[in-house]
Amino acid sequence: MTTPDDRRSVQLGEQRAERGRGGETHQTAVGGGQRLTTQQGVVVSDDQNTLRAGERGPSVLEDFHFREKIFHFDHERIPERVVHARGYGAHGYFENYEPLTDITRADPFGEAGRRTPVFVRFSTVAENKGSTDLARDVRGFAVKFYTREGNWDLVGNNMPVFFIQDAIKFPDVIHAAKQEPDRGFPQAQTAHDNFWDFVSLMPESTHMLMWIMSDRAIPRSFRFMEGFGVHTFRLVNADGRSTFVKFHWKPKLGMQSVVWNEAMKISGADPDFHRRDLWDAITTGSFPEWELGLQLFDEEFADRFGFDVLDPTKIIPEEEVPVRRVGRMVLNRVVDNFFAETEQVAFCTQNVIPGIDFTNDPLLQGRNFSYLDTQLKRLGSPNFTHLPINAPKCPFATLQQDGHMAMINPAGRVNYEPNSWDPPGPREDPQAGFRTFADGQATEAGPKRRLRPESFADHYSQARQFFISQTEVEQRHIIDAFTFELSKCDRTEIRTRMLAGLRNVDEDLARAVAQGLGLRELPEPLPPAMEPVRDLAPSPKLSIAKNGPSSFAGRKIGVLVTDGADAAVLDRVRAEAEQQQVTVELIAPTVGGVEVGNGNRVPADQKIDGGPSVLYDAVIVLASKDGASQLATKPTARDFVSDAYAHCKFIGYAGDPAPLFEAAGLSSLMDEGFISLDERSPAEFLTRCTQLRFWPRQLVIT
Ligand code: HDD
């Protein structure tokens, strides 16, 4: 007997068979118009129903199509990364500005204009794969250069320092930051006892704490953040001469972050805020760019610099060693398949090429063990290098063989060396091959001991330098972040101990946090391992606000419109925004849109609760009086403008938005961040927006 489901599946099958006619003989199941097959290439006749004994009878074991399909599905997941689980990747290239052959023989820097393909993966560190993009956290910034002399992985972060000085503490800091083991929460935040317990007992993390409590930890998007190689590396030229280097990535669009209250709301409104932003930018042709910068210095500088250049909790201020911009990286292609590329990409700090070498930074040395090891666990086979995303794009030949999923297998008998076969198989090349830099000056010998160098003992001076380099508003944000996070600790002694450490950074900071926590008396300062230097000069380059963008390009404006809004103003805003490479989205009471003043219907991109103002860099309200009165009755519309105000955004308006502003309690608060587009041109509005936020408001509202 034929059931309705049978008939539907027969019809579907016929339609698919129709589409598939005339295809290639060896079809895969991927791609339009092809026939669905099993993994063995057998064409499937019915993918809707399992094979059953009788219409309402049991399924039968011989249904090899069903078993293969479910078996494969059951094994779809691979272990998420133990850190940096949540991330997003894209392809692009690095273009070198000028030959750097005097300092390195590394292939990407060989000649002006040379382009090296890259794959970049940005990530959060402590969050699990399914968390939100805007958690307060360090961001990973990992770049795989597919050079002509092998793959070079620069596995950095968006902050130039790290929590710990020695790799042996890495599992501890990560355990402490991630969810607590008994309860399995909180996920995606460091605001809990374990994290603050650990860091308050580890003074070496103080400098990093300043960075993660700053706005650097809540970037507006990957496109607006800096990247750092963190450690001191070496560049080595063809004569074997070494120069120390610290790597920097500088975003062409300038730096930008969101504010904390905004970050929390974005996490709800769009957990994929950062990945969507990158996808949208690349797919609309606004390719994000960073310049690669090098801080180059020699042994002589290293000896005289006030801190140990091997200590990953320290920076070298750009004012002391300027950043030389040597090339640009452009991300111009999204992935075809997230799993194949972003999930399976395997970065390893030990992937270096001739011309780039390590230093004895103990964190880097430990990392060089960890990454290879972790890829085996995650990808399940030592042949993860055979995956297209991980394989070099230059010729390569090893004598390694077999193992799970070996996909690149040599023909012939040669699988060892030396041998006397002809042809002999791959051979080493002492000239072209990677040679470790032999440090003639250093004699790395001595008794085997577990110790921390004396030169790593100053934990507070640069933390203070970071704090005093920020604007008043940025300092306020740091104070608020410490206060927020510590207020989530249940154990008061953890708060107190942290404050005791902060007193070694800055008394005003410690006092303000104590006040925010309602603590009447400050504890005694923690005895520092080394007396901090109190008079390091501020480094303006450490501030985001002091290094703002030169235009509003790459940003997004949310225009809240109502029926009867002034069509001419809307057209002018759109035209000017397009000119300045700013995206405009319309938000209306319904996604169907509104009828503007000239009687035209304009479709919306978002309905109000789907497009809260936290998703935009600036907002405009274009409303008729009736429209604004209706908006005034909607909590989501009131939130739209009151959040924009609270997050210090520039607010443009035209028509008669007064009823909405009134209902949101803003009428008496309208400051210079409110700009009338009946009086000022959209160009003027966008010029103001280049400041990104109307920061004077921040000091009024805190
Ligand atoms: Fe790490 C991943 C960056 C210290 C061990 N790390 C990982 C990723 C980035 C960093 C960006 C993700 C790469 C990707 O997108 O797939 N890690 C850093 C930086 C560090 C650092 C900038 C300090 C300067 N890491 C660090 C230490 C250890 C590790 C000290 C261990 C001793 N990191 C790992 C790892 C991961 C990793 C466990 C997890 C997933 C992976 O490697 O591929 O091996």
Side-chain angles (χ1 to χ4, degrees):
M1 187 178 136
T2 319
T3 68
D5 277 350
D6 278 337
R7 281 193 294 276
R8 196 178 322 126
S9 69
V10 169
Q11 280 167 4
L12 268 172
E14 280 169 359
Q15 286 164 12
R16 285 179 187 145
E18 192 59 40
R19 282 204 301 272
R21 252 169 230 143
E24 300 288 324
T25 324
H26 297 292
Q27 291 177 345
T28 66
V30 184
Q34 294 173 330
R35 291 181 298 182
L36 181 71
T37 74
T38 65
Q39 298 264 26
Q40 306 301 325
V42 174
V43 176
V44 173
S45 62
D46 180 344
D47 192 38
Q48 319 302 320
N49 305 292
T50 45
L51 191 64
R52 270 168 233 160
E55 188 183 328
R56 301 178 63 241
S59 302
V60 297
L61 209 55
E62 77 178 61
D63 187 349
F64 58 83
H65 168 53
F66 166 77
R67 278 190 292 125
E68 181 198 83
K69 184 172 175 179
I70 296 300
F71 147 80
H72 199 277
F73 170 75
D74 290 346
H75 296 269
E76 271 178 14
R77 300 284 174 273
I78 61 173
E80 68 172 39
R81 288 166 173 82
V82 61
V83 285
H84 296 264
R86 185 173 177 84
Y88 210 62
H91 297 270
Y93 60 86
F94 169 74
E95 186 177 76
N96 191 44
Y97 290 157
E98 52 182 325
L100 299 181
T101 41
D102 53 331
I103 43 175
T104 177
R105 58 167 287 209
D107 174 62
F109 307 115
E111 60 182 343
R114 179 172 294 165
R115 284 190 177 186
T116 303
V118 297
F119 184 77
V120 177
R121 184 173 176 275
F122 302 106
S123 47
T124 46
V125 178
E127 281 67 59
N128 298 336
K129 210 177 146 194
S131 57
T132 82
D133 281 349
L134 251 163
R136 175 177 291 282
D137 199 358
V138 199
R139 297 299 183 287
F141 194 129
V143 183
K144 190 181 280 294
F145 294 77
Y146 303 93
T147 85
R148 300 176 315 164
E149 298 206 326
N151 288 354
W152 168 35
D153 294 353
L154 183 55
V155 196
N157 279 345
N158 76 332
M159 297 178 189
V161 287
F162 203 63
F163 295 98
I164 48 167
Q165 296 173 321
D166 189 311
I168 201 166
K169 297 309 294 170
F170 191 66
D172 298 291
V173 66
I174 297 302
H175 287 176
K178 285 195 138 189
Q179 69 271 19
E180 299 189 1
D182 53 351
R183 60 210 67 191
F185 63 85
Q187 296 190 42
Q189 52 176 321
T190 49
H192 60 111
D193 287 70
N194 277 12
F195 177 75
W196 288 97
D197 186 33
F198 177 78
V199 292
S200 63
L201 291 166
M202 291 284 288
E204 71 199 54
S205 59
T206 312
H207 189 191
M208 181 64 167
L209 289 178
M210 303 305 296
W211 285 80
I212 56 163
M213 291 302 109
S214 80
D215 295 342
R216 300 260 182 169
I218 40 174
R220 155 67 173 81
S221 93
F222 302 132
R223 296 182 296 139
F224 305 121
M225 63 185 201
E226 292 188 326
F228 303 89
V230 181
H231 315 280
T232 299
F233 289 86
R234 288 179 186 280
L235 293 177
V236 184
N237 72 7
D239 300 330
R241 189 169 56 81
S242 143
T243 309
F244 286 128
V245 62
K246 278 190 178 277
F247 294 104
H248 295 246
W249 292 107
K250 300 278 187 187
K252 277 272 191 77
L253 292 170
M255 278 187 280
Q256 185 179 336
S257 286
V258 299
V259 296
W260 177 235
N261 179 271
E262 194 183 3
M264 289 195 288
K265 290 174 176 165
I266 294 173
S267 288
D270 186 2
D272 305 309
F273 191 62
H274 284 162
R275 54 180 62 192
R276 190 188 308 281
D277 174 273
L278 192 65
W279 176 272
D280 287 350
I282 297 177
T283 51
T284 55
S286 309
F287 302 141
E289 285 191 29
W290 289 258
E291 283 187 304
L292 180 65
L294 309 180
Q295 274 183 306
L296 298 163
F297 55 97
D298 55 16
E299 297 276 358
E300 192 267 321
F301 172 85
D303 290 345
R304 96 180 121 81
F305 182 55
F307 302 91
D308 196 326
V309 300
L310 300 185
D311 176 354
T313 66
K314 304 296 184 302
I315 59 156
I316 301 176
E318 291 187 34
E319 290 78 5
E320 268 185 75
V321 176
V323 172
R324 175 168 162 194
R325 298 182 187 224
V326 299
R328 66 184 185 124
M329 177 171 76
V330 181
L331 296 185
N332 61 0
R333 184 159 64 88
V334 294
V335 295
D336 290 329
N337 182 284
F338 180 86
F339 180 81
E341 295 153 78
T342 308
E343 193 59 12
Q344 294 199 121
V345 66
F347 293 95
C348 294
T349 50
Q350 76 276 16
N351 289 354
V352 289
I353 53 170
I356 295 169
D357 212 332
F358 312 114
T359 60
N360 293 340
D361 176 336
L363 198 67
L364 177 58
Q365 300 271 324
R367 292 179 74 192
N368 286 346
F369 163 72
S370 178
Y371 288 70
L372 188 60
D373 188 48
T374 210
Q375 306 312 350
L376 182 62
K377 168 71 182 174
R378 252 179 10 91
L379 298 166
S381 156
N383 293 316
F384 68 84
T385 51
H386 296 192
L387 296 169
I389 193 69
N390 294 322
K393 296 193 193 297
C394 64
F396 62 101
T398 73
L399 293 170
Q400 294 148 15
Q401 68 174 29
D402 304 350
H404 284 295
M405 309 293 163
M407 282 170 287
I408 303 173
N409 302 300
R413 292 176 85 165
V414 176
N415 61 354
Y416 59 94
E417 175 294 318
N419 65 62
S420 60
W421 294 105
D422 182 20
R427 287 286 154 97
E428 65 213 5
D429 179 339
Q431 294 316 313
F434 179 86
R435 272 176 298 158
T436 293
F437 173 69
D439 190 343
Q441 293 175 7
T443 46
E444 265 107 35
K448 281 187 207 159
R449 280 183 298 166
R450 295 183 183 274
L451 51 71
R452 207 55 75 83
E454 210 31 56
S455 53
F456 282 27
D458 179 348
H459 303 313
Y460 298 112
S461 306
Q462 285 203 346
R464 174 181 175 76
Q465 183 180 40
F466 181 82
F467 187 67
I468 62 171
S469 302
Q470 309 299 312
T471 62
E472 194 182 348
V473 168
E474 287 172 319
Q475 288 188 345
R476 186 73 248 167
H477 290 172
I478 292 172
I479 292 164
D480 289 347
F482 271 110
T483 310
F484 176 90
E485 298 254 327
L486 290 171
S487 74
K488 296 277 181 183
C489 295
D490 296 333
R491 283 172 51 202
T492 48
E493 66 270 28
I494 295 176
R495 294 181 202 156
T496 316
R497 189 165 55 230
M498 197 57 234
L499 282 167
L502 288 183
R503 287 195 69 183
N504 290 329
V505 178
D506 187 273
E507 284 289 353
D508 290 343
L509 164 67
R511 211 172 304 114
V513 176
Q515 198 183 4
L517 290 169
L519 212 82
R520 287 183 173 200
E521 284 197 12
L522 277 175
E524 282 301 306
L526 280 186
M530 180 186 269
E531 207 43 52
V533 187
R534 299 234 146 241
D535 58 355
L536 287 182
S539 164
K541 292 281 183 193
L542 297 176
S543 151
I544 297 177
K546 291 177 193 167
N547 297 282
S550 53
S551 89
F552 202 52
R555 274 80 181 175
K556 208 181 210 180
I557 296 183
V559 182
L560 182 57
V561 280
T562 69
D563 283 335
D566 190 331
V569 176
L570 180 58
D571 288 346
R572 284 203 296 275
V573 166
R574 279 186 151 151
E576 187 59 37
E578 195 180 336
Q579 175 98 10
Q580 300 201 23
Q581 294 166 29
V582 172
T583 307
V584 172
E585 270 193 8
L586 290 200
I587 301 107
T590 69
V591 78
V594 291
E595 195 176 303
V596 283
N598 62 7
N600 286 346
R601 185 126 206 115
V602 188
D605 299 291
Q606 306 284 354
K607 87 190 243 294
I608 302 172
D609 56 353
S613 63
V614 293
L615 301 182
Y616 305 100
D617 299 289
V619 299
I620 293 176
V621 181
L622 297 185
S624 62
K625 188 161 192 167
D626 280 356
S629 302
Q630 278 172 26
L631 288 182
T633 64
K634 294 183 189 297
T636 47
R638 297 198 298 265
D639 284 353
F640 187 93
V641 284
S642 62
D643 273 350
Y645 174 82
H647 303 146
C648 303
K649 288 180 182 163
F650 286 100
I651 302 174
Y653 61 93
D656 198 351
L660 175 62
F661 288 164
E662 176 77 39
L666 297 179
S667 305
S668 59
L669 299 174
M670 287 175 69
D671 52 30
E672 285 169 29
F674 286 74
I675 294 152
S676 163
L677 290 164
D678 291 321
E679 290 163 21
R680 307 277 168 93
S681 68
E684 224 175 308
F685 177 69
L686 289 179
T687 306
R688 292 293 308 281
C689 288
T690 304
Q691 295 164 33
L692 301 178
R693 301 291 164 102
F694 182 64
W695 289 126
R697 193 187 295 152
Q698 181 77 90
L699 298 171
V700 176
I701 58 183
T702 36

